[in-house]
Amino acid sequence: MIEVFTKKVLLACVTFLLVLLASGAALGQTVEEEIQTLCNESPQVLEFWHGFRSGAPREALENLTLEFDRANRGQICVKPISQGSYRDLSTKILAASAAGELPVLAQGFENNIATYLAAGVVSDLESIGVSAEGLYDNFVEAVRWDGTLYGIPFNKSVHVLYYNRDLLLESADALAEAGIPENEDGVRVPTTVDEFIAASSVLTATYGEPVYWFRPSDLATYEDWFWTLGGSYFDDAGNLTLNSETGVEALELLVSFVHELGIARPITDGSFINENFATGVFGFATDTTAGYRFYLRAAEFDVGLATMPGRNPGTIGASVFQGTNILVFNTASSEDQNAAAEYINFLIAPQINAVFATATGYAPLGNAAAMEPGFELYLDDNPDFSAIIDQLPAARFEPNLPEWEQIRFDILGQAIVKAVLQEATPQEALDEAQAATEALLAGETR
Ligand code: FGO
C-alpha cells in the first residue's frame, strides 16, 4: 500500500518535471528570452556553444540551463548558443580558436577534443572542480588523455533497432512462419542478423517496398553492421585500417540489402530518417536513441525500440556511441572556468541527468541516474526505453584521432555512399578510402 502510494507520489514528481521541461519559461517569454533576460542582469555570462538545432535535445538543454540560471540569478548565467549541426559547431570552434574568440563551454565529440587539445585550449576539468565520479567508466575513459579529464560525457547516445510495431503485429503470421520469435510483449522483433534479413524480406514482400531505411552518409549505420560482424578499425599492429576483410564484408552486406535483397531504402538527400515517414512504409532503422523524440513526434505508427540484432543467437549486436561531451576552454578567466564547472556538475547530477535522459533518449550517464526513481518509473511506463540501457554494454566508440571527423565524413562516409550507389564495389570504395586516409595521416593532404 505504502509502496503504491510512494510510487504515485514519485510518478507525480516525474510528471511534474517533464511538464516543467515542456513548459519552460515564464508566461509570455520563450526559454531563450528568459535566459537572455537573466544574462542581461548577470555580472558573469558564460557562452555555451552547442550543436542542437531543434527538438527535444535543444529544448531539454535550454530548459535545464534556465533552471540553473534562475538558481544563480544575479551571479552566473549560462547562455546556450546553437551553432547549427555538430560539424558546423566544430568548424566554428576552430575558427574561434584561431581568432582568440572561444566561448567558455562547448560540446565536442572525443575526436574534436583531440583536435582542440592539439591547439592547447582545453581545460583540465578536474582541476577546475568537475567531478566525474559515478559516471560510467567507458564514457569517462573516452574523454581522458594520459589520465587527464578534458571533457565530461553529457549527451551520449547509442544506436538501437527502431521498428514499426503496428507493421510487425499486422504481419505476425508471416513473421512466425519465417521463424521470428515473439518477444515478451508478443511482438515478433528480429534478434539476430539472419532474423533481421528474414523479417525485412517478409515485410518487403507484403508491402511491396523496402522497409529498412538508412542514411548511407551516416557512417554509424555501416559501423553497426561492421562491428556486429566482429570488425575493428585497427589491425593487430594498431594501424587504422578501413579496408579490412570484415569491413568489406559489412559493406557488401549493406549493399546487398539494397540491391540483391531489395529490403533496404537508402536516404541520400541529407534528411533524417524521421523526416521521411510520409514517403513510404517504414519497417526498421538502426539509428541513434537521440532520435527517439523526433521519431515519436513524426510517426503515425507505434514506434518500438529494441537492442541491435546479434550475429549469433542470444547475443546483442554491436553499435556506435555518439552524442557529445562538454568541454571548457582554458582561454576563459579562471572565474568563468570555475563557474562552468558548477554548471557542468549541475547538469550531470543524477536527478538532472535522469530528466535529460528521459526527455531526449540520450543514455543515463551512470548507474545513479539509471536508478533514480524518476528514471525507473519512466522505464516502467515506457518499457521500450530499456533497450537503451541494454544496448550500452555492446556499444563502441569511433577512433578519437584528431583527423577522425574528416575521415568519417569526407573519406569513409563518402566511400559507403559510393558503394551503396554502386559507383564502386565495396572493396574498391574501401581501398580508395584507405589510401586517402593514409595520405591524410601522412600529412600529404588536408
Ligand atoms: C550524429 C554525428 C559526428 C561525429 C558522429 C563526429 C561530428 C553523426 C550523427 C552525423 O547526438 P546524436 O546521437 O543525435 C543527434 C541529436 C541532436 O541533433 O538528434 C538526432 N536527430 C536530430 C534531428 C532529427 O530530426 N532526428 C535525429 O535523430 C541527431 O542525429 O548524434 C548523432 C548524425 C549526423 O549528425 O548526421 O552524430 N557524428 N560522430 N558529427 N561533427 N563529428 O565525430
Side-chain angles (χ1 to χ4, degrees):
M1 179 70 188
I2 289 177
E3 214 173 272
V4 172
F5 176 74
T6 317
K7 209 173 156 174
K8 281 199 169 146
V9 171
L10 285 170
L11 193 57
C13 294
V14 176
T15 313
F16 169 73
L17 277 172
L18 289 174
V19 169
L20 195 80
L21 275 178
S23 66
L27 271 184
Q29 272 190 317
T30 65
V31 175
E32 260 185 295
E33 284 165 354
E34 192 181 341
I35 290 176
Q36 187 56 56
T37 307
L38 288 166
C39 285
N40 290 345
E41 294 168 5
S42 173
Q44 214 179 342
V45 177
L46 316 182
E47 285 196 3
F48 175 17
W49 289 11
H50 65 85
F52 292 152
R53 282 173 186 276
S54 63
R58 181 169 175 168
E59 286 160 21
L61 172 66
E62 289 177 348
N63 280 301
L64 291 173
T65 303
L66 177 58
E67 289 311 305
F68 177 85
D69 289 347
R70 280 179 181 158
N72 290 279
R73 186 178 219 123
Q75 290 165 13
I76 307 170
C77 184
V78 175
K79 184 175 172 190
I81 303 179
S82 171
Q83 298 292 349
S85 71
Y86 288 137
R87 208 166 181 202
D88 297 335
L89 171 67
S90 61
T91 305
K92 288 183 185 175
I93 287 174
L94 286 176
S97 172
E101 290 169 357
L102 283 166
V104 179
L105 297 127
Q107 278 181 322
F109 285 88
E110 294 73 19
N111 65 80
N112 296 140
I113 299 178
T115 309
Y116 311 148
L117 275 174
V121 292
V122 190
S123 301
D124 165 353
L125 291 182
E126 278 162 333
S127 79
I128 60 168
V130 172
S131 169
E133 217 185 299
L135 306 191
Y136 291 130
D137 281 345
N138 53 353
F139 286 165
V140 176
E141 284 318 306
V143 281
R144 275 192 200 281
W145 276 260
D146 294 332
T148 307
L149 188 75
Y150 287 112
I152 199 82
F154 169 50
N155 57 303
K156 299 307 296 175
S157 63
V158 63
H159 259 216
V160 291
L161 180 69
Y162 281 78
Y163 62 89
N164 178 337
R165 192 182 271 104
D166 295 341
L167 219 61
L168 293 186
L169 288 173
E170 224 170 80
S171 300
D173 291 347
L175 291 167
E177 225 169 274
I180 316 301
E182 234 175 29
N183 70 11
E184 53 199 22
D185 300 323
V187 189
R188 295 187 183 273
V189 182
T191 61
T192 63
V193 176
D194 288 344
E195 285 176 12
F196 173 78
I197 295 171
S200 299
S201 302
V202 163
L203 298 178
T204 295
T206 308
Y207 296 96
E209 56 180 285
V211 294
Y212 170 49
W213 295 11
F214 74 108
R215 302 197 299 152
S217 62
D218 187 1
L219 188 64
T221 307
Y222 160 76
E223 287 169 334
D224 292 337
W225 301 108
F226 173 51
W227 284 329
T228 294
L229 296 187
S232 164
Y233 278 129
F234 296 97
D235 68 11
D236 291 343
N239 301 310
L240 184 62
T241 309
L242 307 181
N243 58 349
S244 63
E245 220 171 277
T246 316
V248 175
E249 193 193 334
L251 190 47
E252 282 171 354
L253 182 70
L254 199 54
V255 171
S256 80
F257 285 172
V258 181
H259 298 287
E260 276 93 71
L261 300 170
I263 57 176
R265 168 185 165 191
I267 294 173
T268 53
D269 64 359
S271 60
F272 286 100
I273 290 171
N274 50 271
E275 290 171 324
N276 289 276
F277 290 153
T279 65
V281 180
F282 173 90
F284 298 110
T286 45
D287 205 349
T288 167
T289 54
Y292 190 48
R293 297 278 157 203
F294 293 95
Y295 273 64
L296 290 183
R297 226 175 255 186
E300 284 183 9
F301 55 84
D302 188 356
V303 177
L305 293 185
T307 50
M308 289 288 297
R311 186 184 190 182
N312 300 309
T315 62
I316 291 179
S319 74
V320 63
F321 285 123
Q322 296 183 103
T324 63
N325 311 282
I326 301 183
L327 58 139
V328 175
F329 292 108
N330 60 19
T331 44
S333 68
S334 59
E335 205 188 6
D336 282 355
Q337 291 184 57
N338 291 335
E342 261 184 60
Y343 172 68
I344 289 175
N345 288 335
F346 161 82
L347 278 186
I348 62 174
Q351 309 89 307
I352 299 296
N353 177 230
V355 172
F356 181 72
T358 51
T360 55
Y362 280 110
L365 297 172
N367 278 335
M371 284 158 61
E372 271 292 308
F375 191 86
E376 290 192 327
L377 284 172
Y378 186 82
L379 274 189
D380 285 353
D381 277 357
N382 303 272
D384 275 0
F385 223 68
S386 59
I388 301 175
I389 310 288
D390 296 344
Q391 186 64 40
L392 294 179
R396 314 194 28 183
F397 285 96
E398 292 183 354
N400 67 358
L401 308 168
E403 298 84 358
W404 182 251
E405 193 162 274
Q406 200 175 341
I407 295 170
R408 86 179 299 287
F409 286 104
D410 304 338
I411 299 179
L412 188 51
Q414 285 311 309
I416 308 301
V417 173
K418 254 179 145 176
V420 167
L421 297 179
Q422 292 191 307
E423 289 165 8
T425 65
Q427 182 79 59
E428 285 163 359
L430 294 181
D431 284 348
E432 215 180 285
Q434 179 67 19
T437 298
E438 284 175 15
L440 176 75
L441 295 178
E444 292 162 27
T445 50
R446 283 175 54 87

